[in-house]
Amino acid sequence: MSPLFFKEVTRNPWTFGLFLLPSLLSLGFLGRGEGVGLVGLYSGLLLLLPPLVVALAVPLLASREEWAFLLGLPQEAFRGFVAGVAGIFLALLFPLLPGLFLGAGLLGLSLEAAFWLWLSGVGLLAFWMGVSALLAALTLEEKRALGLSLGLYGLLNVLYGPLVVALAVRLREYPLEGFLALALLLNPQEIHRVGLLSGLKAPVLTGPIGYLVAERLGEVGPWLGFGYLALSGLLLTLLGALVFARRDR
């Protein structure tokens, strides 16, 4: 199953955009220092990488016609869905890693910083593959899954900061801190960003989200942030496969 999805994605010319994206973003951070370049490039990927991943992954994972044919093969539904997600993930990782390597070279990053840039890209790709897998399995309708995925992208990557800060201000006088901690944990991407900032001592302001994470969740290092990001993607994928398998019954 994985080779079929891998070939399908690599045939799409838009997949090449994952190679160009990091290097183009890195041009905006030339000469600004290693820490600023690393975190700035990751922040840029947060805004531009997820829509591209969703647009390439969801139409394949949510296609009823595609699955109607594929499930005729001797393959269990759960494993078939996971294999399909894995094939798309590898197909997208194939151009993304060289793109991140080129971006790190343009910024003149050290080996440590380049390593964290690569891990950040892998974790971000894994997370949005998980989101795509779950929403595709829930709907099995391409347009609806795309709409929900892009809506969630807007919520997590555009509106998240203002909404969490507004929540923190509103709950300041009430003993409802658990809701704020939950709101912070709902976005592993920001947890990883804060981990990069604190762990690599980047000379960049953490912002209100970073302050709230440190206050509510304690010290978050880069390994913890990456682990949470990648594990979230894996769990979302497995949950999507479970939903898909139950629907197939």
Side-chain angles (χ1 to χ4, degrees), residues 11 110 145 154 156 166-167 238 248:
R11 289 172 183 167
S110 65
L156 290 179
L167 181 65
L238 294 177
D248 182 59

Side-chain angles (χ1 to χ4, degrees), residues 22 109 133:
L109 299 182

Side-chain angles (χ1 to χ4, degrees), residues 73-95:
L73 302 174
Q75 177 91 306
E76 183 186 353
F78 180 89
R79 293 182 180 179
F81 191 84
V82 172
V85 174
I88 297 174
F89 175 79
L90 292 175
L92 297 180
L93 191 64
F94 185 71

Side-chain angles (χ1 to χ4, degrees), residues 155-172:
L155 179 63
L156 290 179
N157 293 31
V158 179
L159 299 176
Y160 176 78
L163 288 176
V164 171
V165 171
L167 181 65
V169 172
R170 294 294 296 177
L171 296 182
R172 184 172 50 188

